[in-house]
Structure formats: structure tokens, C-alpha cells
Amino acid sequence: MTGNSSISLRMWHVLRQGANRLSRDAQRRIREYAASQTDESGFFMNRHQQPDIYYTAFGLTVAQALGMKIDRKKIGQSLGNCRPDTSDLVHFASYIRSLLALAWMDTPGWLSWIRYRALCFRTTLPAFPTVPHDDPQSPYTRFVLLSLREDLLCGRSGWKAIPEALEDYRTPGGGYANVRRASCASTNATAAALSVRGQLRGYRPDGDVTFLRDMQDDSGGFAATQRTPAPDLLSTATALFTLYNYGLSPRTDPGDFVEAHWMDSGGFAATLPDDDSDMEYTFYGLLALGTCGIKHI
């Protein structure tokens, strides 16, 4: 990927790599699972079996990576019935990413960008009623906002000083948290901060990136924080994706850890004790596999 690639483009590139490294049988099982997670509106459902734009964004990106056939007209109509400007930041970003995925499915290649630009181009963002952690400055909120601005083709104007501002969230010993003055680092906050910095200033490895790599558990997974007893798939995928963008391999091959989260349903689960799968964690499973150098499933 080029240095100017958006976060979304980077994710879709890695997600497609993950899908391509699956066996044909595994691809078929995940397609069947994903198809089972849609309702009559074409939206993907959450764990309560309700249509959900958040899960739809994950579902559509998985569908795109796997080359699934979906009713694009139906889901396009359903997206047209949404009121995104009244959404919080995360759900608004999910809506925009869903539109982008749909545009790519409808019109491959550079024509998709013309169509998407006509649908989504903005110069300003709406006023969001809530943002993650109720803090617009936190690493994760900054990550979502930057990704959203890229998806909306707003550019990165005014963001050059953001990496310095994120220093307020640095934790003792290294890494970042999503709250100020935290005592230990969060994997996701550290990955978010490093992703923002990489997008704005280039992906050049340093001690912070090495710190993230060293957070990996011997099992191959990453835990949510330095004090969390067990690793999970979300933290693992976000850490691996960040290391991949910086050109670094993890300390331990994560393939077996990721495969252990693949369920009989065809989807992926959040943690090893979890009995349920969903589209969010199926996305993270493919994203994690896309960073691995060999086929695992």
C-alpha cells in the first residue's frame, strides 16, 4: 500500500489477503455464515438479531473481501432510509463505510471513487451527540475521526499537531490509553495512536511500535490491556494490523490463536470461552489472518 492510502483502503487490502489465504471450503463456510446474518432489509444483524448499521459496515467489508453476492439494490435503499446526521460518531462512520463498500461493489475500479464522491463528499462533519469515551481527543476517537475524514475525502488539514496532542494519553512505561493519566497501556489505544501517527507522518518504526509488538502474549494473541489476563481477537487484530502497516512481524506467529476463534457456525468469536460468533469478530478474524504470512484455515 502507498503512503497516501486511507485507513479503510489499508484495512480492505489486508482483509482481502486474509480471505485469499483461506481454503475454498473455509471461504464457503464464512460466506454462508455472513449470508445468514442479514435480514429482509439487507442489513447485517447484531448479536440480538436486530439490523444494525455498525454490524452492516463489518458485514459489507467481509462480503466485499470474499466476493459475496448480495442484493445491492435492497441494501442501498435501506441505507438511503437512514438519518446519519443524527448518529453518534461510531455509527455515522459505520454508515459512511457501508456506502463506500457498496460503491466499490457496484462499480469496480476508479469509477467507484467517482460514484462515491458524488454520494459522500463533504467539507465538514456533523456535530456528534456522543464520541467514544466521551472524549474527542482520545486516541480511539482520533482514529475514527481521521478514518472518517479520509472516507469523506475531507483531507487531513489541521491534523499535523495531533501526534503531539496524543502524548497526553501516554502511560508510564510506554504505550497509550484512551483516558488521561491511566496507569497501564491499552492495546487498542496504542494501536490507534500509532495508526494516526503513521497516517499523518509516515509508518516509521520506533520504540512505541516495538512496545506494541512486545505486548503480544505467548499464545500469539494480544490482551486488551497489560493487566487483562487473557487475549482477545479484537485486540489481536488491531495490533497485528498496526504492526503490518509499520512493516514489523509479531514476536510469535498468531495463526493458531486466530484459528482457535473460528466457530462451527463459520463465523469468529471474540474470545476463546465465547460460544457465539458475529460479523464484527468475523471481520477481525479475516483482518488478523491477512497479516499472517501463511495459510492457517
Side-chain angles (χ1 to χ4, degrees):
M1 300 295 290
T2 67
N4 292 325
S5 296
S6 69
I7 292 169
S8 291
L9 281 173
R10 289 178 180 275
M11 282 188 173
W12 283 332
H13 172 72
V14 175
L15 202 72
R16 187 174 294 276
Q17 287 188 164
N20 289 341
R21 286 171 180 158
L22 297 170
S23 67
R24 288 188 178 180
D25 181 64
Q27 290 180 1
R28 175 188 59 79
R29 287 178 56 191
I30 297 174
R31 284 192 194 100
E32 290 175 353
Y33 172 74
S36 75
Q37 296 301 296
T38 60
D39 77 342
E40 61 273 9
S41 70
F43 272 26
F44 286 80
M45 297 182 290
N46 58 28
R47 289 199 169 199
H48 302 291
Q49 298 301 294
Q50 298 296 320
D52 192 313
I53 189 63
Y54 178 76
Y55 286 82
T56 296
F58 289 115
L60 285 175
T61 51
V62 168
Q64 183 191 41
L66 289 168
M68 287 178 57
K69 293 181 180 179
I70 64 170
D71 191 334
R72 295 192 291 268
K73 182 177 180 180
K74 178 191 290 185
I75 198 168
Q77 291 173 341
S78 296
L79 287 169
N81 292 330
C82 292
R83 299 180 60 197
D85 286 0
T86 63
S87 299
D88 59 36
L89 170 60
V90 170
H91 286 85
F92 182 85
S94 297
Y95 167 80
I96 295 299
R97 188 162 287 176
S98 295
L99 280 181
L100 180 53
L102 198 63
W104 276 27
M105 290 179 186
D106 277 346
T107 314
W110 63 271
L111 287 174
S112 66
W113 286 108
I114 296 177
R115 180 168 184 237
Y116 176 72
R117 189 180 181 91
L119 286 171
C120 299
F121 177 69
R122 294 168 180 247
T123 56
T124 60
L125 299 180
F128 300 109
T130 59
V131 297
H133 310 100
D134 294 323
D135 184 355
Q137 314 300 324
S138 73
Y140 179 64
T141 301
R142 290 289 194 184
F143 173 83
V144 177
L145 280 170
L146 178 58
S147 177
L148 177 60
R149 288 185 62 85
E150 291 174 341
D151 288 349
L152 289 172
L153 311 176
C154 292
R156 302 167 186 170
S157 176
W159 277 66
K160 289 184 178 180
I162 297 303
E164 282 83 3
L166 290 174
E167 291 301 300
D168 289 345
Y169 298 85
R170 185 179 288 279
T171 58
Y176 296 81
N178 279 311
V179 293
R180 292 180 174 90
R181 296 178 292 280
S183 59
C184 72
S186 156
T187 299
N188 294 328
T190 303
L194 292 176
S195 294
V196 169
R197 192 184 73 191
Q199 286 296 110
L200 296 175
R201 296 187 176 175
Y203 287 89
R204 293 182 288 273
D206 62 6
D208 288 329
V209 184
T210 302
F211 179 89
L212 176 63
R213 183 177 61 180
D214 290 344
M215 292 179 75
Q216 187 181 26
D217 185 79
D218 290 340
S219 68
F222 288 76
T225 73
Q226 293 172 301
R227 297 174 184 170
T228 304
D232 65 88
L233 189 56
L234 186 157
S235 300
T236 299
T238 55
L240 291 174
F241 175 68
T242 304
L243 293 175
Y244 178 89
N245 285 327
Y246 275 93
L248 290 186
S249 298
R251 292 188 306 109
T252 302
D253 180 8
D256 290 339
F257 174 84
V258 177
E259 183 174 354
H261 291 73
W262 192 37
M263 310 287 285
D264 290 340
S265 66
F268 285 78
T271 62
L272 290 176
D274 200 342
D275 293 329
D276 297 321
S277 55
D278 64 34
M279 286 312 303
E280 178 182 9
Y281 284 95
T282 300
F283 171 94
Y284 287 126
L286 291 182
L287 187 71
L289 286 175
T291 69
C292 301
I294 60 175
K295 182 184 292 185
H296 289 279
I297 296 179

